[in-house]
Amino acid sequence: MYWTQEENPASLRIADDVVDVLFALDCRQLPVDHAFALSEALCAALPWLADEPEVGIHDVHVAGSQNGWERPARGTDSYIRPSRRTKLAIRAPKSRVDRLIAELTGVELRVAACRLVIGQGKVRPLSKEATLFARHVVGTPDEDEESFLARCAQDLGRMEIRLRKALCGKAAELATPAGPIHARSLMIASLTVAESIRLQQTGLGPQRLLGCGIFIPHKGIDPVQRDG
């Protein structure tokens, strides 16, 4: 764990050249480990996504429990059950947003044999929160927590982002036909506004189309669970 104290600048204009596009979706269920299947289906429908370095596909995420149902562990054959409020989120350059919405709205996908129909999309700007969270950042099989954080600090340094406070979760695996991708969740706190926006725009590490390295706002360090 890294932990130093520093004040965060109060205000800065949020750059809008990269945004999130949130799509309504109609989907009864998806595999818990759906990142590869979702990416494959979206890139088949919109081949240009794979050639756009600033595009990232968020995991379809639901609450940890719904009416007594507990979210299954990743790596099982179980399913998540998206609600009507669940969104499909794609991070993309603003210059691609109109095309993205026009070409995806109304499209029906098969995600690992599950039917998913994409509804209307709306734009959400990036956040200027000082604390950001990524559900998955790519690591290596033999990398412990200390090594993972040290490497992330180096990668962030090359982006001119100083790592002051960080907390990572347990190692996890994302299934792909080529073999598992090893990853950890990562929370980074006490970012300046400029650093926060830069990290959201750029991401951290590879596999953005599988939801890795995509940071979203988080309210603070204390509630983050260290369970991946």
Side-chain angles (χ1 to χ4, degrees), residues 11-74:
S11 64
L12 185 73
R13 186 185 70 84
I14 298 178
D16 62 355
D17 46 334
V18 176
V19 296
D20 280 330
V21 184
L22 308 183
F23 291 92
L25 58 84
D26 179 3
C27 181
R28 293 185 62 185
Q29 64 180 25
L30 284 173
V32 172
D33 199 346
H34 60 264
F36 180 85
L38 178 61
S39 174
E40 185 177 48
L42 284 168
C43 289
L46 276 65
W48 59 266
L49 286 180
D51 298 323
E52 190 59 70
E54 292 180 311
V55 165
I57 301 171
H58 296 251
D59 261 0
V60 176
H61 192 71
V62 298
S65 61
Q66 303 173 37
N67 300 321
W69 172 84
E70 293 296 327
R71 179 183 177 91
R74 183 175 293 275

Side-chain angles (χ1 to χ4, degrees), residues 156-167:
L156 291 166
R158 285 190 282 269
M159 299 161 55
E160 298 185 351
I161 297 173
R162 179 184 171 196
L163 189 61
R164 302 170 184 86
K165 299 178 183 178
L167 184 66

Side-chain angles (χ1 to χ4, degrees), residues 1 4 11 32 40 42 60 65 74 81 86 102 113-114 133 135 138 147 152 163 165 204-205 208 210 216:
M1 181 185 295
T4 62
S11 64
V32 172
E40 185 177 48
L42 284 168
V60 176
S65 61
R74 183 175 293 275
R81 316 284 177 180
T86 304
C114 296
F133 177 70
R135 293 190 176 96
V138 174
S147 299
C152 288
L163 189 61
K165 299 178 183 178
L204 183 63
R208 206 81 71 248
L210 299 185
I216 58 177

Side-chain angles (χ1 to χ4, degrees), residues 124-147:
R124 180 179 66 188
L126 300 182
S127 171
K128 60 180 181 180
E129 287 286 341
T131 302
L132 299 177
F133 177 70
R135 293 190 176 96
H136 303 106
V137 173
V138 174
T140 62
D142 57 350
E143 196 171 44
D144 61 19
E145 180 177 321
E146 183 178 353
S147 299

